[in-house]
């Protein structure tokens, strides 16, 4: 499925998933930018992450958007299973909260996009990303993605080493801005739809 809107149930909740690895040693890794965006969205919602029963994830339930028909119920989640096993917790949350697959948003790092650039899409392949690979294997590919560019590794550095390193000092100078912009993009996607969010944030 491509970059087009699909019919979603306006009354159904949205499941917004930041992908990353749990533990302080991974906190500032490039691979954890999904967690960083989820943490900022949590601040905006005004909640605190808590363990989600048997789902092996941390969640916050809340609402985003202005009062009225544009207001959306959201479940914000960070899987605690490690990246390559993300599909299990996400599927458990989807089933528990009765979220249509089209109302799931995965926020993740993307190697094939320059640092800080965003691309929003619906469906598609996993491009070698282990978190997406696990999610797609568990529930199919028809969920939304907010792809946060981290660029390619320099020289002959291995991809696994690159994504599991912290952002470089030069990158960190702009990281807060880019995480804030990615959070805006997620909110726009949920409130106004994919086409509007792509038009505003796909740069």
């Amino acid at each position: 499925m491509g970059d087009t809107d699909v019919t979603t149930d306006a009354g159904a909740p949205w499941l917004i998933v930041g992908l990353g690895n749990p533990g302080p040693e991974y906190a500032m890794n490039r691979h954890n930018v999904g967690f960083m965006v989820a943490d900022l969205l949590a601040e905006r919602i005004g909640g605190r992450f808590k363990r989600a029963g048997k789902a092996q994830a941390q969640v916050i339930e809340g609402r985003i958007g202005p009062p009225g028909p544009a207001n959306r119920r959201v479940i914000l989640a960070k899987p605690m299973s490690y990246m390559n096993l993300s599909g299990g917790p996400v599927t458990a949350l989807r089933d528990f909260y009765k979220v249509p697959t089209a109302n799931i948003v995965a926020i993740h790092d993307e190697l094939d996009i320059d640092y800080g650039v965003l691309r929003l899409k619906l469906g598609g392949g996993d491009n070698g990303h282990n978190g997406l690979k696990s999610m797609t294997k568990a529930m199919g590919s028809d969920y939304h993605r907010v792809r946060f560019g981290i660029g390619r590794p320099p020289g002959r550095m291995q991809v696994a080493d690159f994504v599991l390193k912290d952002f470089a000092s030069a990158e960190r100078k702009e990281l807060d801005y880019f995480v804030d912009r990615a959070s805006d993009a997620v909110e726009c996607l949920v409130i106004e739809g994919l086409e509007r969010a792509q038009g505003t944030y796909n740069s």
Side-chain angles (χ1 to χ4, degrees):
M1 189 168 288
D3 296 353
T4 56
D5 279 304
V6 296
T7 301
T8 58
D9 180 353
W14 284 75
L15 175 58
I16 303 170
V17 182
L19 294 179
N21 288 307
E25 67 271 32
Y26 299 106
M28 292 303 296
N29 287 180
R30 293 181 178 93
H31 221 19
N32 267 43
V33 73
F35 274 17
M36 297 175 198
V37 177
D39 285 339
L40 181 55
L41 287 168
E43 288 183 28
R44 294 181 178 188
I45 290 172
R48 296 174 67 92
F49 280 105
K50 61 182 181 181
R51 295 291 293 193
K54 300 177 181 179
Q56 204 175 358
Q58 293 184 348
V59 300
I60 293 173
E61 297 180 57
R63 306 192 75 88
I64 62 173
N71 192 260
R72 299 285 183 262
R73 180 185 170 215
V74 298
I75 298 94
L76 184 61
K78 297 193 296 185
M80 294 286 111
S81 56
Y82 290 98
M83 182 72 83
N84 62 348
L85 298 173
S86 299
V90 176
T91 302
L93 292 172
R94 179 199 66 178
D95 294 346
F96 179 79
Y97 288 103
K98 298 179 172 56
V99 179
T101 301
N103 280 27
I104 296 174
V105 182
I107 311 162
H108 64 93
D109 56 303
E110 178 60 63
L111 286 160
D112 287 337
I113 303 175
D114 290 340
Y115 173 59
V117 174
L118 298 176
R119 292 283 189 275
L120 285 73
K121 64 181 292 189
L122 173 67
D126 57 58
N127 202 25
H129 192 285
N130 287 332
L132 297 182
K133 189 178 299 183
S134 179
M135 286 180 60
T136 296
K137 182 178 180 181
M139 62 185 188
S141 64
D142 293 337
Y143 53 90
H144 289 85
R145 299 101 187 276
V146 174
R147 305 157 72 203
F148 187 112
I150 60 170
R152 301 293 302 185
R156 298 185 179 183
M157 182 184 291
Q158 295 296 310
V159 166
D161 294 332
F162 179 69
V163 300
L164 292 176
K165 285 188 180 296
D166 290 358
F167 284 100
S169 56
E171 293 171 326
R172 286 199 295 271
K173 293 176 182 177
E174 296 182 294
L175 183 58
D176 286 349
Y177 168 77
F178 289 139
V179 168
D180 188 72
R181 190 166 185 269
S183 301
D184 291 345
V186 172
E187 292 184 343
C188 183
L189 168 61
V190 171
I191 297 167
E192 300 186 59
L194 178 61
E195 186 175 354
R196 176 66 64 88
Q198 286 176 322
T200 303
Y201 294 97
N202 277 19
S203 49

